[in-house]
């Protein structure tokens, strides 16, 4: 059976899945609330990532709402750069999420291994992210938690956004405190109203981290990171060498005033993206 129709079987939203439908393989990762295992649906042999979350943890950390939102949002998002959630099921102690398997693993791993990415790789990932976020924003979804740990790579090196745990369906403006500080926009760390432009800020942070190997407002303590974000204390080290065009894009995304940040559409038209991003979204080198 070819893989497209295998996916169709696993993607059957009506089916009542159970653990008996899967052969469990090696562990792939460990998160705050659970583990992810390589797994294969027995009938179709389709390979997936099975995320296991203990109900006890959900109660302890009171994350029912967050998990429900993550599941609702991720099931209806269908984009080549967004990891698919095919379905879910539960037993007495655990909840299982049937997720798309990303053969390439975490982008974080690649970044740590190489120290930083080259401009072609970085621009290709930023362009993929921008297109995925434009799709999300079009469906009134703000991700709010994009960081290298939440970015996976498929077998062709294409980027997939995973983990919608902190995303929200925007009705109007929101006020919520969440996430690792490093990637958060000033209006979020200061707990002011925020909207779609928080994701545009994060693109600036990621672009910086892809090229320099560390996020721009990194500091010894949370308090110092907070201060640096609020002041937009941005500086560009001399090494590694990064082009003026890349720095121009980063500076236009890391603007304190959300309304001044470059729009997703303008990111795609930025000279650095046009010149460096691979339109097929593939990064072999
Ligand atoms: C992988 C992962 C990890 C992390 C996925 C993960 C994946 C997840 C989340 C989801 O060496 C590897 N590692 C490190 C153990 C390889 C490259 C095999 C790999 C692939 C690794 N895929 C867990 C939700 N989908 N895919």
């Amino acid at each position: 059976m070819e893989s497209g129709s295998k996916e169709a079987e696993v993607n059957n939203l009506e089916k009542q899945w159970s653990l008996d439908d899967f052969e469990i393989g090696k562990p792939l990762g460990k998160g705050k609330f659970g583990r992810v295992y390589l797994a294969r649906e027995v009938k179709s042999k389709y390979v997936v990532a099975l995320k296991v979350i203990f109900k006890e943890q959900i109660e302890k950390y009171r994350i029912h709402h967050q998990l429900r939102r993550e599941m609702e949002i991720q099931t209806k998002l269908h984009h080549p750069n967004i990891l698919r959630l095919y379905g879910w099921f539960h037993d007495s102690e655990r909840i299982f999420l049937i997720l798309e398997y990303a053969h390439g693993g975490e982008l974080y791993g690649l970044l740590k291994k190489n120290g930083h990415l080259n401009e072609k790789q970085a621009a290709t990932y930023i362009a993929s992210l921008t297109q995925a976020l434009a799709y999300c924003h079009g469906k009134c979804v703000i991700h709010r938690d994009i960081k290298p740990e939440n970015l996976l790579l498929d077998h062709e090196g294409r980027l997939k956004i995973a983990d919608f745990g902190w995303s929200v369906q925007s009705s109007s403006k929101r006020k919520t405190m969440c996430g690792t500080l490093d990637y958060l926009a000033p209006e979020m760390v200061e707990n002011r109203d925020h909207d779609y432009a928080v994701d545009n800020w994060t693109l600036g942070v990621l672009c910086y981290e892809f090229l320099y190997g560390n996020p721009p407002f990194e500091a010894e303590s949370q308090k110092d990171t907070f201060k640096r974000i609020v002041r937009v204390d941005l500086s560009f080290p001399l090494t590694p060498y990064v082009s003026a065009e890349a720095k121009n894009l980063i500076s236009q995304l890391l603007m304190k005033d959300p309304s001044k940040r470059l729009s997703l559409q303008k990111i795609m038209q930025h000279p650095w993206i046009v010149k460096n991003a691979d339109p097929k979204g593939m990064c072999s080198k």
Side-chain angles (χ1 to χ4, degrees):
M1 200 185 283
E2 50 103 9
S3 74
S5 53
K6 279 188 205 166
E7 177 174 4
E9 281 183 40
V10 179
N11 193 27
N12 181 356
L13 287 172
E14 304 302 312
K15 185 169 161 77
Q16 291 295 310
W17 296 104
S18 84
L19 204 48
D20 295 333
D21 294 310
F22 297 90
E23 289 167 355
I24 310 299
K26 65 171 180 176
L28 292 171
K30 200 163 76 177
K32 220 186 305 166
F33 302 114
R35 282 167 189 266
V36 182
Y37 295 90
L38 188 63
R40 191 163 67 169
E41 202 266 317
V42 176
K43 246 172 96 191
S44 65
K45 297 197 158 38
Y46 191 69
V47 174
V48 297
L50 203 61
K51 186 169 175 178
V52 186
I53 306 159
F54 282 88
K55 288 180 175 174
E56 202 175 68
Q57 295 281 301
I58 297 169
E59 273 153 37
K60 185 171 163 196
Y61 295 99
R62 308 176 140 271
I63 53 164
H64 318 67
H65 297 294
Q66 190 190 316
L67 187 65
R68 177 160 291 276
R69 200 163 51 206
E70 174 177 359
M71 299 195 318
E72 280 170 2
I73 289 175
Q74 214 173 338
T75 343
K76 67 175 194 190
L77 297 177
H78 295 196
H79 187 275
N81 298 111
I82 297 173
L83 197 85
R84 289 291 312 275
L85 171 62
Y86 296 120
W88 63 82
F89 55 93
H90 62 105
D91 62 17
S92 57
E93 296 120 61
R94 300 163 293 185
I95 293 173
F96 300 87
L97 304 188
I98 312 165
L99 290 154
E100 180 181 355
Y101 174 57
H103 287 75
E106 294 171 359
L107 176 57
Y108 185 74
L110 190 70
L111 196 60
K112 289 301 141 202
K113 195 178 99 203
N114 300 349
H116 62 95
L117 308 179
N118 63 45
E119 299 209 21
K120 191 171 166 55
Q121 277 180 320
T124 302
Y125 292 142
I126 293 297
S128 302
L129 273 166
T130 303
Q131 282 168 315
L133 288 173
Y135 171 85
C136 289
H137 292 184
K139 294 214 172 235
C140 304
V141 171
I142 315 176
H143 190 288
R144 308 196 302 173
D145 194 27
I146 305 154
K147 49 190 177 197
E149 296 90 320
N150 289 342
L151 303 177
L152 300 173
L153 300 172
D154 75 4
H155 58 289
E156 292 180 301
R158 275 181 302 231
L159 176 144
K160 303 264 178 184
I161 305 182
D163 211 328
F164 278 74
W166 282 114
S167 60
V168 286
Q169 192 93 49
S170 173
S171 47
S172 59
K173 302 242 173 185
R174 314 261 334 174
K175 252 190 195 167
T176 334
M177 188 62 196
C178 57
T180 322
L181 284 187
D182 269 302
Y183 303 91
L184 297 185
E187 66 271 26
M188 258 178 97
V189 299
E190 290 183 298
N191 208 14
R192 288 184 276 121
D193 276 351
H194 61 267
D195 216 316
Y196 299 100
V198 298
D199 285 340
N200 300 43
W201 170 277
T202 307
L203 282 176
V205 175
L206 280 176
C207 191
Y208 186 107
E209 181 164 12
F210 288 167
L211 293 168
Y212 292 100
N214 54 277
F217 308 114
E218 203 170 52
E220 290 289 318
S221 67
Q222 287 268 89
K223 197 168 149 240
D224 292 333
T225 303
F226 176 91
K227 283 191 205 149
R228 293 196 62 195
I229 294 171
V230 172
R231 283 195 215 119
V232 194
D233 178 14
L234 177 66
S235 62
F236 297 104
L238 287 172
T239 52
Y241 175 78
V242 170
S243 70
E245 279 159 336
K247 291 183 221 174
N248 175 277
L249 175 63
I250 294 166
S251 307
Q252 290 197 73
L253 288 168
L254 298 181
M255 302 281 278
K256 172 109 181 173
D257 180 350
S259 69
K260 294 216 166 72
R261 285 173 210 152
L262 213 59
S263 69
L264 297 177
Q265 203 190 339
K266 292 247 172 73
I267 297 174
M268 293 309 292
Q269 296 164 356
H270 191 279
W272 183 71
I273 295 289
V274 173
K275 190 165 140 194
N276 294 290
D278 181 340
K280 292 197 203 76
M282 321 248 268
C283 279
S284 45
K285 289 201 239 3

